Amino acid sequence: MDQEIKQILLVEDDFGHAELIRRSFRSKAAEMSVTVVKSLRDAQTAVSQSPPDLAIVDLLLPDGKGIEFLSLAGPDAPYPIIIMTSHGDEQVAVEAIKAGALDYVVKSDVTLLQMPYIADRALREWSHIKERKQTESLLRASEERFRQVISSISDHIYLMEIISEDEIIYRYLSPNCEFITGYSPSKIMADAAFWPSLVHPQDKKRIRAQRRLLSLGENSESEYRVIRADDRIIWVRDSARVKQEGSSYLVYGVISDVTERKSIEDELRQYQDHLEVLVAKRTEELAEAKDAAESANRAKSAFLANMSHELRTPLNAILGFAQLMERDADITPGQRENLGIISKSGEHLLALINDVLELSKIEAGRTTLIPTTFDLYDVVHSLIDMFRITAENKGLSLQVEMDEDLPQYIVTDEQKLRQVLTNLLSNAIKFTLAGHIILQVRLDARKDTSAAVYFAVTDTGPGVAFEEQSGLFDPFVQSRSGVKTIEGTGLGLPISRQFVLLMGGDLRMESRLGVGTTFEFVIQVAVSEPTAVILEEPIRRVTGIAPGQPEYRILIVEDKEYSRLLLRQLLETVGFLVDEAENGREAVQKFKEQPPHFIWMDMRMPVMNGYEATRQIRSLPHGKETYVLALTASAFEEERLNVLAAGCDDFVRKPFRESEIFERMTAYLGVEFLYDQQEALKTNMEQSRVEDILTPETLSHIPEEWLIELNHAAIRARADQITAVLAKIEVEHAPVAQAFAQLVEDFQFDKIMTLTNT
């Protein structure tokens, strides 16, 4: 059997008929269970105990009619019901079908033996009815109309014998045939060609195809139009199942009126066509809105680029000339102090400008991560060292807590992580009047080469009121304590939160008035090896060009006179031959007259900008041999791509440090410089002194337990614990303690680990 039937309830008081039906089912499927009861009461009990997959009920039973079973089962019985009778009373059949029977069977030896096929058909039709209800429920505008339409549908059941494609004999037509077509069953049965004549001319090929399949013994389903007796055209679905009987086929068929469904489908097509028109119109409106938004975004980007240039260019001059003046060995200590104030104030102003521009970049979606491999221990301890003096001056305790299993070398955006932690520590120290600040760093989770690292900054400050907490991550918003300090722009926390989001986490805050505040976040990082870390060389002051070097010609292209003067004085001081150009056109002309070895090119200039000037220079003879480095005041990282696309070899962002200028010239020209010998000598002496003191012979006099303590503290990069051990060593071995202290100051924990590995 096609449908899976495991449990059948047979309500039959005739033992012979019941046994015949039972055997017919067992012959088809031995595992099928047939429960036989003889009365309606027993049937009701059996159903309550175990609902069947199919119920076959005799019409006449000792305690009532089988149709009463339909009433007991209800109109929404969860299984199909077939009514059997010994007499082919059509009125009874109609009554049974209306009462909810799926089929009506006249008992005979043939039909009883065919009961498995009748059951199969019933299950198929039952499944089809459920599918039809589900499909139609999606097509109806409301469930109520759907139920009304379904309740009004009456199917026409027929049984016919197909001897050949052209020879058909109707064995049975249900009375509903007249309800659907307007013609009586007797009129249709009298002429096998009558039903095909009712089919719409355009659909006759469909019914011919169906008849052909049935004559070959294949089941078939087809939809076509029928012309009723009242000339109304309706759609019907003709579902036919075939059973071979001798040389002919018996076809059990059900014809359903699907006119309502077809009408709804037509409406849906019309709605779909209308919707497509609306979607096209809305798409056009969205495209216009997108163009307007992109135009506004371009205007904003242009404004930011201009603001970046206009603010950072003069600031470059302020900081640059301060650096130049600090190079003068004849300035007084008071003048040097004043220059330091100028530099610090300029750096503070630059930080404020960067905050505003950074927030604008975030809002424009132009901030991206720049992952690098770095030493997390070094970052944490350098931040603690940076803020320790400020904290101690306020009488605060600044502490760091790090897990022992925390990975030391990780990959993420170091600068953004530094900026977040710097902002949180700065705020904590700023707003805390007494007590402590604790920076916690621990491993939250680890899997293979990736990890989740937890950071938290906790203070004992005044706390933030609950009603203020939700707004602290909004730009330019400060708490009451922040307003009282009259410091900051209210941009630090919004920027920090956006950076944390970029790094795969979220910045959260917990605060209680009078107790303190904790800011915490978890970021996703990759775990790396020490060999992947790029060590930074210490910054040394250039005093001149080393002897034996070629005479390098440098061209400075810059429209601002003070910017040209700054760079000219810096380069001429150390021995370069310098020429100037006020714009790109003048630069191209000077290049034609005498090509320089190196060009510092400002990118935003009148007459001809640096992009066009670079392109033209590259097209000239020797143009590809000259190094062109861009000077830009843009705060946007994508500016690097623009200048490289124009033909520049590299770029330096304003305001620049003099070390950046000389490092780039060394990298591209290969020029060698002379450096401040006093500073270099000091560095060499310190390194030599450490190596001379910390020898195996010297360390053999240090108690082993102290060396073990040093080793364990170095593994965890705990400078405070190392300092505590060195205090004990210094009592009898001061030079050794001082040498180890120098290694701690230089963050050379790995060397301490090597020296103390006993």
Side-chain angles (χ1 to χ4, degrees), residues 288-325:
E288 293 175 356
K290 179 185 177 184
D291 291 340
E294 289 178 348
S295 176
N297 195 43
R298 286 193 296 270
K300 181 177 181 179
S301 297
F303 171 77
L304 290 175
N306 288 329
M307 286 298 296
S308 176
H309 184 268
E310 294 303 320
L311 292 173
R312 296 167 71 96
T313 297
L315 192 57
N316 179 59
I318 294 172
L319 295 174
F321 279 111
Q323 292 178 62
L324 276 176
M325 295 176 69

Side-chain angles (χ1 to χ4, degrees), residues 70-81 99-100 126 130 133 147 150:
L70 297 169
S71 300
L72 296 174
D76 296 320
Y79 49 86
I81 302 171
W126 180 257
K130 291 195 293 185
K133 289 182 179 180
R147 286 192 294 268
I150 289 298

Side-chain angles (χ1 to χ4, degrees), residues 20 98 135 148 220 355 442 523 585 600 698 721 743:
L20 187 61
K98 286 184 176 180
T135 302
Q148 292 175 355
S220 175
D355 279 350
R442 65 170 183 258
I523 60 172
R585 181 183 300 170
W600 284 109
T698 305
Q721 295 181 5
L743 293 178

